[in-house]
Amino acid sequence: MDRRQIHYFRFILEACEGVGVLSTLDPAAGLVTLRIAPGRESEAQQLVEDLKGRIMIEPVPDVPGPCPETGTTIAAKYADKAR
């Protein structure tokens, strides 16, 4: 995912207040982490499905262990191979 797509994804997610937080892990590889708020999993999944029509999103294996910032498990990660 190029920088513009990461920004777009983050902008859309922020517009859906409280659904989750998007963090960029590796902008060159288009690797981001989506941390989903408890109870908002289905809403986040629907958002990702809707965005697949605009940007290439592909799930990658989950990172084991808790998120260093929140102490919760990372719910999903997505990477875009459209470079």
Side-chain angles (χ1 to χ4, degrees):
M1 173 179 305
D2 67 31
R3 291 181 189 268
R4 292 172 299 195
Q5 290 175 321
I6 293 170
H7 179 72
Y8 176 72
F9 194 162
R10 181 174 287 117
F11 177 77
I12 296 299
L13 186 62
E14 288 174 358
C16 301
E17 291 185 30
V19 171
V21 177
L22 183 76
S23 299
T24 304
L25 299 176
D26 184 347
L31 188 62
V32 298
T33 299
L34 177 58
R35 290 175 294 193
I36 302 167
R40 307 292 294 270
E41 295 87 0
S42 63
E43 193 174 348
Q45 182 63 37
Q46 184 61 47
L47 176 65
V48 169
E49 292 300 319
D50 290 347
L51 284 174
K52 282 183 179 179
R54 296 179 181 87
I55 57 178
M56 292 284 297
I57 299 174
E58 179 179 333
V60 295
D62 199 13
V63 174
C67 170
E69 294 150 20
T70 65
T72 59
T73 302
I74 296 171
K77 286 192 328 186
Y78 295 91
D80 180 345
K81 291 187 177 182
R83 291 187 242 162

